[in-house]
């Protein structure tokens, strides 16, 4: 899952579909043949959603799926950039740079992985689950979300995973409670070789501690602004045991043992 010398590339892409898939969550399908051919699970793209004075900076998005010449991006409408994104229709053109960053690393010998997602954190884990299944690795997925209306991606994971557990804060779907509780139970009941997680940082930190307590290696995908995407602007600094690193080029996926959690940043909305 390492980048080759030809990446990243600037690519003009076309919107094939753009639809609401959950409360406040959109799924955009793009014709992006170069990126689709190169992207690996956990990597991201930098998308320019508008020209002129609107949304000058590109926005980073994890790739949810890549098939043939198409990539799929999940996004939550939070700010100006994602509001503009929600207005895009089939045929609209944008440009992106990607794939960027370093994604998940699945060591040889892994037989059963636990993937823990909070909200939109399911996006970078979906491709990973697919690739793991192709390698014959059993996958158990824990999806956490505030309410049933915010739940998405369950059917995608159920097609490939051995088990999918849903947890909602209000109990409107699946188990009632935080996904960390479901993850702790799964770690106590089953044997895993690897835990991969993405979501709110407090959740990731809790999952990392649980994995460590159960002596299971854990990788985390950290969300940061990543304004430039190439390591130049230093807007995405992560504190690690080896010093400060840039999420856009050194991550966004890090070994959980490497991250100094108490010094980490809270990502801004985009």
């Amino acid at each position: 899952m390492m980048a080759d010398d030809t990446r990243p590339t600037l690519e003009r892409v076309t919107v094939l579909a753009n639809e609401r898939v959950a409360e406040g969550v959109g799924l955009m399908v793009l014709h992006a043949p170069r990126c689709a051919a190169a992207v690996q699970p956990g990597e991201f793209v930098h998308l320019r959603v508008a020209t002129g004075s609107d949304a000058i900076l590109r926005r980073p998005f994890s790739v949810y799926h890549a098939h043939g010449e198409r990539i799929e991006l999940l996004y939550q409408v939070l700010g100006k950039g994602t509001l503009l994104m929600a207005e895009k229709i089939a045929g609209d053109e944008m440009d992106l740079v990607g794939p960027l960053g370093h994604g998940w690393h699945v060591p040889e010998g892994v037989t059963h992985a636990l993937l823990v997602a909070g909200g939109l954190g399911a996006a970078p884990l979906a491709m990973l689950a697919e690739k793991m299944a192709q390698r014959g690795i059993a996958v158990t997925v824990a999806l956490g979300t505030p309410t049933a209306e915010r739940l998405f991606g369950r059917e995608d994971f159920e097609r490939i995973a051995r088990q999918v557990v849903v947890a909602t804060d209000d109990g409107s779907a699946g188990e009632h409670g935080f996904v960390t509780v479901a993850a702790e139970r799964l770690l106590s009941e089953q044997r895993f070789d690897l835990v991969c997680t993405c979501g709110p940082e407090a959740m990731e930190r809790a999952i990392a501690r649980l994995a460590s307590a159960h002596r299971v290696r854990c990788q985390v995908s950290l969300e940061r602004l990543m304004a430039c995407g190439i390591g130049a602007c230093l807007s995405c600094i992560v504190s690690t045991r080896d010093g400060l690193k840039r999420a856009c080029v050194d991550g966004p996926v890090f070994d959980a043992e490497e991250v100094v959690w108490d010094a980490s940043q809270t990502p801004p909305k985009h």
Side-chain angles (χ1 to χ4, degrees):
M1 298 184 183
M2 300 293 291
D4 63 39
D5 293 337
T6 64
R7 303 185 309 156
T9 59
L10 174 65
E11 183 171 21
R12 194 68 179 166
V13 300
T14 304
V15 177
L16 299 176
N18 189 21
E19 60 179 351
R20 179 181 181 275
V21 294
E23 182 180 299
V25 179
L27 173 65
M28 177 173 281
V29 183
L30 296 170
H31 181 252
R34 289 183 180 178
C35 182
V39 68
Q40 296 294 330
E43 295 176 342
F44 69 98
V45 299
H46 230 205
L47 186 68
R48 187 185 298 281
V49 299
T51 57
S53 59
D54 287 333
I56 295 174
L57 295 176
R58 296 178 182 275
R59 265 64 175 176
F61 294 98
S62 298
V63 175
Y64 182 48
H65 288 299
H67 296 294
E69 297 186 340
R70 309 179 349 161
I71 62 170
E72 298 179 4
L73 308 178
L74 281 169
Y75 62 96
Q76 188 166 1
V77 179
L78 291 173
K80 188 174 184 179
T82 42
L83 277 171
L84 291 169
M85 199 170 170
E87 296 172 354
K88 298 294 182 184
I89 61 174
D92 285 348
E93 294 187 344
M94 294 179 284
D95 68 66
L96 64 75
V97 176
L100 294 164
H102 289 273
W104 309 100
H105 172 67
V106 182
E108 293 297 328
V110 170
T111 59
H112 190 191
L114 173 62
L115 311 187
V116 185
L120 216 62
L125 291 170
M127 273 187 71
L128 176 65
E130 194 171 33
K131 294 290 185 181
M132 283 180 164
Q134 290 171 0
R135 284 176 53 177
I137 299 171
V139 177
T140 294
V141 180
L143 295 175
T145 185
T147 68
E149 289 74 23
R150 299 278 295 275
L151 177 64
F152 59 89
R154 180 176 187 168
E155 295 78 10
D156 284 348
F157 284 110
E158 286 179 339
R159 278 194 287 270
I160 53 179
R162 170 187 290 184
Q163 181 183 9
V164 177
V165 175
V166 171
T168 51
D169 297 355
D170 66 354
S172 54
E175 300 180 10
H176 188 181
F178 294 148
V179 72
T180 49
V181 176
E184 184 172 21
R185 176 174 52 76
L186 289 166
L187 281 162
S188 299
E189 294 175 348
Q190 302 181 44
R191 184 178 179 86
F192 297 97
D193 309 293
L194 179 67
V195 175
C196 297
T197 185
C198 184
E201 193 150 308
M203 184 213 79
E204 291 185 322
R205 178 169 22 195
I207 296 300
R209 287 174 177 166
L210 287 171
S212 178
H214 287 268
R215 301 181 183 277
V216 183
R217 182 175 178 180
C218 179
Q219 296 176 22
V220 297
S221 179
L222 298 177
E223 183 183 357
R224 292 293 186 274
L225 178 60
M226 298 193 281
C228 75
I230 56 172
C233 72
L234 305 182
S235 65
C236 60
I237 291 300
V238 175
S239 294
T240 77
R241 299 190 186 283
D242 296 323
L244 298 178
K245 293 191 175 181
R246 300 158 297 178
C248 65
V249 293
D250 301 314
V253 177
F254 292 87
D255 191 303
E257 296 287 337
E258 184 184 2
V259 178
V260 179
W261 292 99
D262 292 340
S264 62
Q265 300 174 339
T266 300
K269 297 178 179 179
H270 64 277

